[in-house]
């Protein structure tokens, strides 16, 4: 689906981004786009991973989590209830997503655009009940384009807005999408998200060019392992039950979030 010109442009953008991250002190200092490109010629790559000395294959699940952070609030829940004959056919898979005005209490129904490779998946072939997407278009109906499935834990850790802890393990993201987890794990997820936010805040406000070393690497490794482990045993998509509206709050929230209620929940 990608031509050589497009791949070259992607490589150029990656090198420019890495140079900016180097200047900001988030990755080792002194990296320049020209030098990164030269390093790539030696191993036939774009030079990005070799320049930061990254070994091994990056975690697909962690990358999906980063997509969630970058594309929020473009998140949709897959609705594909089983039929008497088994899995819902691809043309019957529906997506429920937040409306563009972000105020309406009810979700907007959409479909995967026919040009997407995901449009061929039936209800049992999706690896997660959640997807992030880049574009929403409306022709004869609302379509979602450029979409990727993301693990539920990635939404809780990387989703935008505030994470609110309610009763019975209900975690509400951005006062909109609720995901129920085992109650004993809810506080741990909240603490991990808070710690991740602290690390990112320090990195953003660090003086330009002041590289912080590898202090954040253990947290990134832990996040990657956790997200990947949870994604290895996905729940059936057809088992997701969505409840949207103010009744989905699960008894309100704790401490400073008192009185806030989640706008929906998805139970597994």
């Amino acid at each position: 689906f990608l031509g050589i010109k497009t791949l070259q442009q992607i490589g150029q953008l990656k090198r420019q981004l890495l140079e900016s991250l180097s200047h900001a002190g988030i990755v080792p200092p002194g990296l320049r786009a020209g030098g990164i490109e030269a390093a790539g010629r030696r191993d036939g790559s774009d030079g990005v991973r070799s320049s930061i000395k990254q070994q091994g294959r990056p975690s697909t699940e962690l990358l999906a989590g980063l997509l969630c952070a970058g594309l929020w609030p473009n998140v949709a829940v897959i609705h594909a209830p089983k039929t008497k004959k088994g899995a819902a056919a691809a043309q019957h898979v529906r997506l429920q997503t937040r409306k563009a005005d972000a105020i309406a209490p009810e979700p907007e129904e959409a479909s995967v655009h026919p040009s997407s490779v995901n449009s061929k998946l039936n209800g049992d072939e999706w690896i997660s009940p959640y997807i992030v997407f880049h574009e929403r278009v409306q022709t004869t109906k609302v379509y979602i384009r450029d979409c990727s499935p993301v693990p539920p834990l990635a939404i809780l850790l990387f989703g935008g807005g505030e994470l609110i802890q309610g009763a019975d393990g209900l975690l509400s993201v951005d006062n909109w999408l609720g995901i129920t987890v085992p109650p004993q794990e809810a506080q741990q997820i909240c603490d991990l998200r808070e710690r991740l936010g602290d690390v990112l805040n320090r990195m953003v406000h660090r003086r330009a060019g002041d590289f912080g070393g590898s202090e954040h690497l253990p947290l990134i490794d832990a996040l990657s392992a956790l997200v990947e482990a949870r994604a290895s045993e996905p729940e059936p998509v057809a088992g997701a039950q969505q409840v949207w509206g103010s009744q989905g709050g699960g008894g309100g929230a704790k401490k400073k979030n008192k009185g806030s209620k989640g706008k929906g929940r998805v139970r597994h």
Side-chain angles (χ1 to χ4, degrees):
F1 297 96
L2 294 176
I4 185 62
K5 293 289 186 181
T6 302
L7 292 172
Q8 290 172 343
Q9 291 174 353
I10 292 174
Q12 183 179 9
L13 289 173
K14 289 174 65 177
R15 290 187 288 270
Q16 291 174 353
L17 176 59
L18 184 58
E19 180 177 330
S20 298
L21 294 174
S22 176
H23 179 70
I26 296 177
V27 298
L31 297 178
R32 297 293 180 266
I36 299 169
E37 184 176 9
R41 293 195 192 101
R42 292 193 287 269
D43 61 8
S45 70
D46 56 29
V48 171
R49 294 180 61 195
S50 58
S51 295
I52 58 176
K53 297 180 173 56
Q54 185 182 58
Q55 303 295 325
R57 183 183 68 87
S59 167
T60 302
E61 291 74 20
L62 183 59
L63 292 177
L66 297 178
L67 279 178
C68 181
L71 294 174
W72 188 269
N74 289 356
V75 177
V77 182
I78 298 171
H79 182 64
K82 286 184 177 294
T83 67
K84 293 181 179 179
K85 297 183 179 181
Q91 64 268 27
H92 295 144
V93 173
R94 294 293 179 264
L95 307 177
Q96 293 186 333
T97 183
R98 196 176 198 174
K99 290 189 177 180
D101 57 18
I103 298 176
E106 295 299 320
E108 181 176 56
E109 186 172 283
S111 300
V112 180
H113 196 274
S115 64
S116 171
V117 294
N118 291 327
S119 67
K120 311 301 182 185
L121 300 180
N122 66 36
D124 284 349
E125 292 175 328
W126 290 89
I127 62 175
S128 172
Y130 309 98
I131 64 170
V132 294
F133 61 91
H134 178 254
E135 187 178 17
R136 174 186 3 220
V137 296
Q138 183 164 6
T139 53
T140 54
K141 56 182 177 180
V142 179
Y143 285 108
I144 296 302
R145 302 182 63 176
D146 309 319
C147 60
S148 296
V150 292
L153 189 60
I155 293 179
L156 295 175
L157 293 176
F158 300 105
E162 189 175 17
L163 182 64
I164 301 174
Q165 183 178 355
D168 300 323
L170 176 65
L171 296 175
S172 175
V173 188
D174 200 15
N175 201 30
W176 163 59
L177 176 63
I179 299 176
T180 300
V181 302
Q184 65 273 18
E185 297 181 6
Q187 186 58 51
Q188 296 175 351
I189 293 174
C190 291
D191 293 342
L192 185 57
R193 179 180 166 112
E194 183 177 0
R195 185 180 173 192
L196 176 62
D198 290 341
V199 170
L200 293 176
N201 187 60
R202 290 200 304 271
M203 294 172 72
V204 169
H205 292 90
R206 183 182 296 142
R207 185 178 60 187
D210 180 17
F211 178 53
S214 58
E215 61 182 25
H216 56 281
L217 294 183
L219 177 61
I220 294 177
D221 290 341
L223 283 172
S224 178
L226 182 60
V227 173
E228 188 168 358
R230 287 303 184 86
S232 64
E233 298 180 0
E235 292 288 341
V237 170
Q241 298 178 354
Q242 298 131 54
V243 181
W244 300 77
S246 60
Q247 74 271 22
K254 297 181 179 180
K255 298 181 180 179
K256 64 178 181 180
N257 301 317
K258 184 177 181 181
S260 299
K261 294 180 181 288
K263 291 297 182 183
R265 77 175 61 181
V266 179
R267 289 192 179 273
H268 300 287

